Coordinates of all heavy atoms in Angstrom, one line a residue:
I102 N -30.4 -1.9 -10.3 CA -31.5 -1.0 -10.0 C -32.8 -1.6 -10.7 O -32.8 -1.9 -11.9 CB -31.2 0.4 -10.6 CG1 -30.0 1.0 -9.8 CG2 -32.4 1.3 -10.4 CD1 -29.6 2.3 -10.2
D103 N -33.8 -1.7 -9.9 CA -35.1 -2.1 -10.4 C -36.1 -0.9 -10.2 O -36.5 -0.6 -9.2 CB -35.7 -3.3 -9.5 CG -36.9 -3.9 -10.1 OD1 -37.7 -3.1 -10.7 OD2 -37.1 -5.1 -10.0
L104 N -36.3 -0.2 -11.4 CA -37.1 1.0 -11.3 C -38.5 0.7 -11.1 O -39.3 1.6 -10.6 CB -36.9 1.8 -12.6 CG -35.4 2.4 -12.8 CD1 -35.3 3.0 -14.2 CD2 -35.1 3.4 -11.8
E105 N -39.0 -0.5 -11.5 CA -40.4 -0.8 -11.3 C -40.7 -1.1 -9.8 O -41.7 -0.6 -9.2 CB -40.8 -2.1 -12.1 CG -40.8 -1.8 -13.6 CD -41.4 -3.0 -14.4 OE1 -41.9 -3.9 -13.7 OE2 -41.4 -2.9 -15.6
K106 N -39.8 -1.9 -9.2 CA -40.0 -2.1 -7.7 C -39.5 -0.9 -6.9 O -40.0 -0.8 -5.7 CB -39.1 -3.3 -7.3 CG -39.7 -4.7 -7.8 CD -38.9 -5.8 -7.2 CE -39.4 -7.1 -7.6 NZ -38.6 -8.3 -7.0
G107 N -38.6 -0.1 -7.4 CA -38.1 1.0 -6.7 C -37.1 0.7 -5.7 O -37.2 1.1 -4.5
D108 N -36.1 -0.2 -6.1 CA -35.0 -0.5 -5.2 C -33.7 -0.5 -5.9 O -33.6 -0.6 -7.1 CB -35.3 -1.8 -4.4 CG -35.4 -3.0 -5.3 OD1 -34.6 -3.1 -6.2 OD2 -36.1 -3.9 -4.9
L109 N -32.7 -0.4 -5.0 CA -31.3 -0.3 -5.5 C -30.4 -1.2 -4.7 O -30.5 -1.2 -3.5 CB -30.8 1.2 -5.3 CG -29.4 1.6 -5.6 CD1 -29.4 3.1 -5.9 CD2 -28.5 1.3 -4.4
R110 N -29.7 -2.1 -5.4 CA -28.8 -3.0 -4.7 C -27.3 -2.6 -4.7 O -26.8 -2.3 -5.8 CB -28.9 -4.4 -5.3 CG -30.3 -5.0 -5.1 CD -30.5 -6.4 -5.8 NE -30.3 -6.3 -7.3 CZ -31.2 -5.8 -8.1 NH1 -32.4 -5.4 -7.7 NH2 -30.9 -5.8 -9.4
V111 N -26.7 -2.6 -3.6 CA -25.3 -2.2 -3.5 C -24.5 -3.5 -3.5 O -24.6 -4.3 -2.6 CB -25.0 -1.4 -2.2 CG1 -23.6 -0.9 -2.2 CG2 -26.0 -0.3 -2.0
Q112 N -23.7 -3.6 -4.6 CA -23.0 -4.9 -4.9 C -21.5 -4.8 -5.0 O -20.8 -5.8 -4.9 CB -23.6 -5.5 -6.2 CG -25.1 -5.7 -6.2 CD -25.5 -6.9 -5.5 OE1 -24.7 -7.8 -5.2 NE2 -26.8 -7.0 -5.1
R113 N -21.0 -3.6 -5.2 CA -19.6 -3.4 -5.5 C -19.2 -2.0 -5.2 O -20.0 -1.1 -5.0 CB -19.2 -3.8 -6.9 CG -19.7 -2.9 -8.0 CD -19.7 -3.4 -9.4 NE -20.7 -4.5 -9.5 CZ -22.0 -4.3 -9.6 NH1 -22.5 -3.1 -9.6 NH2 -22.8 -5.3 -9.7
Q114 N -17.9 -1.7 -5.3 CA -17.4 -0.4 -5.2 C -16.3 -0.1 -6.3 O -15.7 -1.1 -6.8 CB -16.9 -0.1 -3.8 CG -15.7 -0.9 -3.4 CD -15.2 -0.6 -2.0 OE1 -15.2 0.6 -1.6 NE2 -14.6 -1.5 -1.3
I115 N -16.1 1.1 -6.6 CA -15.0 1.5 -7.5 C -13.9 2.2 -6.7 O -14.1 3.0 -5.9 CB -15.5 2.4 -8.6 CG1 -16.6 1.7 -9.5 CG2 -14.4 3.0 -9.4 CD1 -16.0 0.5 -10.2
G116 N -12.7 1.7 -7.0 CA -11.5 2.3 -6.3 C -10.4 2.6 -7.3 O -10.5 2.2 -8.5
R117 N -9.3 3.2 -6.8 CA -8.2 3.5 -7.7 C -6.9 2.9 -7.0 O -6.6 3.2 -5.9 CB -8.0 5.0 -7.9 CG -6.8 5.4 -8.7 CD -6.5 6.9 -8.6 NE -7.4 7.7 -9.4 CZ -7.2 7.9 -10.7 NH1 -6.2 7.4 -11.4 NH2 -8.1 8.6 -11.4
I118 N -6.2 2.0 -7.8 CA -5.0 1.5 -7.3 C -3.9 1.6 -8.3 O -4.1 1.2 -9.5 CB -5.2 0.0 -6.9 CG1 -6.2 -0.2 -5.7 CG2 -3.8 -0.7 -6.5 CD1 -6.4 -1.6 -5.3
D119 N -2.8 2.2 -8.0 CA -1.7 2.5 -8.9 C -2.2 3.2 -10.2 O -1.8 2.9 -11.3 CB -1.0 1.2 -9.3 CG 0.0 0.8 -8.2 OD1 0.4 1.7 -7.4 OD2 0.3 -0.4 -8.1
G120 N -3.2 4.2 -9.9 CA -3.6 5.0 -11.1 C -4.7 4.3 -11.9 O -5.3 4.9 -12.8
K121 N -5.0 3.0 -11.6 CA -6.0 2.3 -12.4 C -7.4 2.3 -11.7 O -7.4 2.1 -10.5 CB -5.6 0.9 -12.7 CG -4.3 0.8 -13.5 CD -4.0 -0.7 -13.7 CE -2.7 -0.8 -14.6 NZ -2.3 -2.2 -14.8
I122 N -8.5 2.6 -12.4 CA -9.8 2.5 -11.9 C -10.3 1.1 -11.9 O -10.3 0.5 -13.0 CB -10.8 3.4 -12.7 CG1 -10.2 4.8 -12.9 CG2 -12.1 3.5 -12.0 CD1 -9.9 5.6 -11.6
I123 N -10.5 0.5 -10.8 CA -10.9 -0.9 -10.7 C -12.2 -1.2 -9.9 O -12.6 -0.4 -9.1 CB -9.8 -1.8 -10.1 CG1 -9.5 -1.4 -8.7 CG2 -8.5 -1.7 -11.0 CD1 -8.6 -2.4 -8.0
E124 N -12.8 -2.3 -10.3 CA -14.0 -2.7 -9.6 C -13.6 -3.6 -8.4 O -12.8 -4.5 -8.6 CB -14.9 -3.5 -10.6 CG -16.2 -3.9 -10.1 CD -17.0 -4.7 -11.2 OE1 -16.9 -4.3 -12.4 OE2 -17.8 -5.6 -10.8
M125 N -14.1 -3.3 -7.3 CA -13.7 -4.0 -6.0 C -14.9 -4.5 -5.2 O -16.0 -3.9 -5.3 CB -12.9 -3.1 -5.2 CG -11.7 -2.5 -5.8 SD -11.1 -1.0 -5.0 CE -10.5 -1.7 -3.4
P126 N -14.7 -5.6 -4.5 CA -15.8 -6.1 -3.6 C -16.0 -5.1 -2.4 O -15.1 -4.3 -2.2 CB -15.3 -7.4 -3.1 CG -13.8 -7.3 -3.2 CD -13.6 -6.5 -4.4
L127 N -17.1 -5.1 -1.8 CA -17.4 -4.2 -0.6 C -16.6 -4.7 0.6 O -16.2 -5.9 0.7 CB -18.9 -4.2 -0.3 CG -19.7 -3.7 -1.5 CD1 -21.2 -3.8 -1.2 CD2 -19.4 -2.2 -1.9
K128 N -16.3 -3.8 1.5 CA -15.5 -4.1 2.6 C -16.1 -5.1 3.6 O -15.4 -5.9 4.2 CB -15.1 -2.8 3.4 CG -14.1 -1.9 2.6 CD -13.7 -0.7 3.4 CE -12.7 0.1 2.6 NZ -12.2 1.3 3.4
T129 N -17.4 -5.0 3.9 CA -18.0 -5.9 4.9 C -19.3 -6.5 4.3 O -19.8 -6.0 3.3 CB -18.3 -5.1 6.2 OG1 -19.4 -4.1 5.9 CG2 -17.1 -4.4 6.7
K130 N -19.8 -7.5 5.0 CA -21.0 -8.2 4.5 C -22.2 -7.2 4.7 O -23.2 -7.3 3.9 CB -21.3 -9.5 5.2 CG -21.5 -9.4 6.7 CD -21.8 -10.7 7.3 CE -22.1 -10.6 8.8 NZ -22.5 -11.9 9.4
N131 N -22.2 -6.3 5.7 CA -23.2 -5.4 5.9 C -23.4 -4.4 4.8 O -24.4 -3.8 4.6 CB -23.1 -4.7 7.2 CG -23.0 -5.6 8.4 OD1 -22.0 -6.2 8.7 ND2 -24.2 -5.8 9.1
A132 N -22.2 -4.1 4.1 CA -22.3 -3.2 3.0 C -23.1 -3.6 1.8 O -23.6 -2.8 1.0 CB -20.8 -2.8 2.6
Y133 N -23.3 -5.0 1.7 CA -24.1 -5.5 0.6 C -25.6 -5.3 1.1 O -26.0 -6.0 2.1 CB -23.8 -7.0 0.4 CG -22.4 -7.2 -0.2 CD1 -21.3 -7.3 0.5 CD2 -22.3 -7.2 -1.6 CE1 -20.0 -7.5 0.0 CE2 -21.0 -7.4 -2.2 CZ -19.9 -7.6 -1.4 OH -18.7 -7.7 -2.0
R134 N -26.3 -4.5 0.5 CA -27.6 -4.2 1.0 C -28.5 -3.7 -0.2 O -28.1 -3.3 -1.2 CB -27.6 -3.1 2.1 CG -26.9 -1.8 1.6 CD -26.4 -1.0 2.8 NE -25.9 0.4 2.4 CZ -24.8 0.7 1.9 NH1 -23.9 -0.3 1.7 NH2 -24.4 1.9 1.7
T135 N -29.8 -3.7 0.1 CA -30.8 -3.2 -0.8 C -31.5 -2.0 -0.2 O -32.0 -2.1 0.9 CB -31.9 -4.3 -1.2 OG1 -31.2 -5.4 -1.8 CG2 -32.9 -3.8 -2.2
L136 N -31.6 -0.9 -1.0 CA -32.2 0.3 -0.5 C -33.4 0.7 -1.3 O -33.5 0.5 -2.5 CB -31.2 1.5 -0.6 CG -29.8 1.2 0.1 CD1 -28.9 2.4 -0.2 CD2 -30.0 1.1 1.6
P137 N -34.4 1.2 -0.6 CA -35.6 1.7 -1.3 C -35.4 3.0 -2.0 O -34.5 3.8 -1.5 CB -36.7 1.8 -0.2 CG -35.8 2.1 1.0 CD -34.6 1.4 0.9
L138 N -36.1 3.3 -3.1 CA -35.9 4.6 -3.8 C -37.2 5.3 -3.7 O -38.3 4.8 -3.8 CB -35.6 4.3 -5.2 CG -34.2 3.7 -5.5 CD1 -34.1 3.2 -7.0 CD2 -33.1 4.6 -5.2
S139 N -37.1 6.6 -3.4 CA -38.3 7.5 -3.4 C -38.8 7.7 -4.9 O -38.1 7.4 -5.8 CB -38.0 8.9 -2.8 OG -37.1 9.6 -3.7
A140 N -40.0 8.2 -5.0 CA -40.6 8.4 -6.3 C -39.7 9.4 -7.1 O -39.5 9.3 -8.3 CB -42.0 8.9 -6.2
D141 N -39.2 10.5 -6.4 CA -38.4 11.5 -7.1 C -37.1 10.9 -7.5 O -36.5 11.2 -8.6 CB -38.1 12.6 -6.2 CG -39.3 13.6 -6.0 OD1 -40.2 13.4 -6.9 OD2 -39.3 14.4 -5.1
A142 N -36.5 10.0 -6.7 CA -35.2 9.3 -7.0 C -35.4 8.4 -8.3 O -34.5 8.4 -9.1 CB -34.7 8.5 -5.9
I143 N -36.5 7.8 -8.4 CA -36.8 6.9 -9.5 C -36.9 7.8 -10.8 O -36.4 7.4 -11.8 CB -38.1 6.1 -9.3 CG1 -37.9 5.1 -8.2 CG2 -38.6 5.4 -10.6 CD1 -39.2 4.4 -7.8
D144 N -37.6 8.9 -10.7 CA -37.7 9.8 -11.8 C -36.3 10.3 -12.3 O -36.0 10.4 -13.5 CB -38.5 11.1 -11.5 CG -40.0 10.7 -11.4 OD1 -40.4 9.6 -11.9 OD2 -40.8 11.5 -10.8
V145 N -35.4 10.7 -11.3 CA -34.1 11.1 -11.6 C -33.3 10.0 -12.3 O -32.6 10.3 -13.3 CB -33.3 11.6 -10.3 CG1 -31.9 11.8 -10.6 CG2 -34.0 12.9 -9.8
L146 N -33.4 8.8 -11.8 CA -32.7 7.7 -12.4 C -33.2 7.3 -13.8 O -32.5 6.9 -14.7 CB -32.8 6.4 -11.5 CG -31.9 6.5 -10.3 CD1 -32.2 5.4 -9.3 CD2 -30.4 6.4 -10.7
M147 N -34.5 7.5 -14.0 CA -35.1 7.3 -15.4 C -34.5 8.3 -16.4 O -34.2 7.9 -17.5 CB -36.6 7.4 -15.3 CG -37.3 6.2 -14.6 SD -39.1 6.4 -14.5 CE -39.5 6.1 -16.2
Q148 N -34.3 9.5 -16.0 CA -33.7 10.5 -16.8 C -32.2 10.2 -17.1 O -31.7 10.4 -18.2 CB -33.9 11.9 -16.2 CG -35.3 12.4 -16.1 CD -35.4 13.7 -15.3 OE1 -34.5 14.6 -15.5 NE2 -36.4 13.9 -14.5
Q149 N -31.6 9.7 -16.0 CA -30.2 9.4 -16.1 C -30.0 8.2 -17.1 O -29.0 8.1 -17.8 CB -29.6 9.0 -14.7 CG -28.1 8.6 -14.7 CD -27.2 9.7 -15.0 OE1 -27.6 10.9 -15.2 NE2 -25.9 9.4 -15.2
R150 N -31.0 7.3 -17.0 CA -30.9 6.1 -17.9 C -30.9 6.5 -19.4 O -30.2 5.9 -20.2 CB -32.1 5.2 -17.6 CG -32.1 3.8 -18.4 CD -31.1 2.9 -17.7 NE -31.0 1.6 -18.3 CZ -30.2 1.2 -19.2 NH1 -29.3 2.0 -19.7 NH2 -30.2 0.0 -19.6
R151 N -31.7 7.5 -19.7 CA -31.8 8.0 -21.1 C -30.5 8.6 -21.5 O -30.1 8.6 -22.7 CB -33.0 8.9 -21.2 CG -34.3 8.2 -21.1 CD -35.5 9.2 -21.6 NE -35.8 10.2 -20.5 CZ -36.7 10.0 -19.6 NH1 -37.3 8.8 -19.5 NH2 -36.9 10.9 -18.7
K152 N -29.8 9.3 -20.5 CA -28.5 10.0 -20.8 C -27.4 9.0 -21.1 O -26.5 9.3 -21.8 CB -28.2 10.9 -19.7 CG -29.0 12.2 -19.6 CD -28.7 13.0 -18.4 CE -27.3 13.4 -18.3 NZ -27.0 14.2 -17.1
T153 N -27.4 7.9 -20.3 CA -26.2 7.0 -20.4 C -26.2 6.0 -21.6 O -25.1 5.4 -21.8 CB -26.1 6.1 -19.1 OG1 -27.3 5.4 -18.9 CG2 -25.9 7.0 -17.9
G154 N -27.3 6.0 -22.3 CA -27.3 5.1 -23.5 C -27.0 3.7 -23.2 O -27.7 3.1 -22.4
N155 N -26.0 3.1 -23.9 CA -25.7 1.6 -23.7 C -24.8 1.3 -22.6 O -24.4 0.1 -22.4 CB -25.2 1.1 -25.0 CG -26.2 1.2 -26.2 OD1 -27.4 1.0 -25.9 ND2 -25.7 1.4 -27.4
S156 N -24.3 2.3 -21.8 CA -23.4 2.0 -20.8 C -24.0 1.1 -19.7 O -25.2 1.4 -19.3 CB -22.8 3.3 -20.2 OG -22.0 3.0 -19.1
E157 N -23.3 0.2 -19.1 CA -23.8 -0.6 -18.0 C -23.7 0.1 -16.7 O -24.4 -0.3 -15.7 CB -23.0 -1.9 -17.9 CG -21.5 -1.7 -17.5 CD -20.8 -3.0 -17.3 OE1 -21.4 -4.0 -16.9 OE2 -19.6 -3.1 -17.6
W158 N -22.9 1.2 -16.6 CA -22.8 2.0 -15.4 C -23.8 3.1 -15.3 O -24.1 3.7 -16.3 CB -21.3 2.6 -15.4 CG -20.3 1.6 -15.5 CD1 -19.6 1.2 -16.6 CD2 -19.8 0.8 -14.4 NE1 -18.7 0.2 -16.3 CE2 -18.8 -0.1 -14.9 CE3 -20.0 0.7 -13.0 CZ2 -18.0 -1.0 -14.2 CZ3 -19.3 -0.2 -12.2 CH2 -18.3 -1.0 -12.8

Side-chain angles (χ1 to χ4, degrees):
I102 295 175
D103 190 324
L104 293 174
E105 289 189 9
K106 286 185 179 179
D108 63 36
L109 174 157
R110 293 177 300 280
V111 186
Q112 302 285 340
R113 72 196 65 77
Q114 62 180 328
I115 294 300
R117 178 191 283 275
I118 295 181
D119 280 337
K121 295 180 180 178
I122 310 301
I123 62 169
E124 187 177 325
M125 304 163 64
L127 301 174
K128 288 184 177 180
T129 66
K130 66 177 183 178
N131 299 84
Y133 292 88
R134 58 203 189 276
T135 299
L136 303 177
L138 295 167
S139 67
D141 285 346
I143 292 171
D144 287 342
V145 168
L146 284 169
M147 288 177 71
Q148 294 176 41
Q149 180 68 7
R150 187 75 177 96
R151 290 191 285 271
K152 285 174 60 179
T153 57
N155 295 324
S156 177
E157 65 176 329
W158 302 96

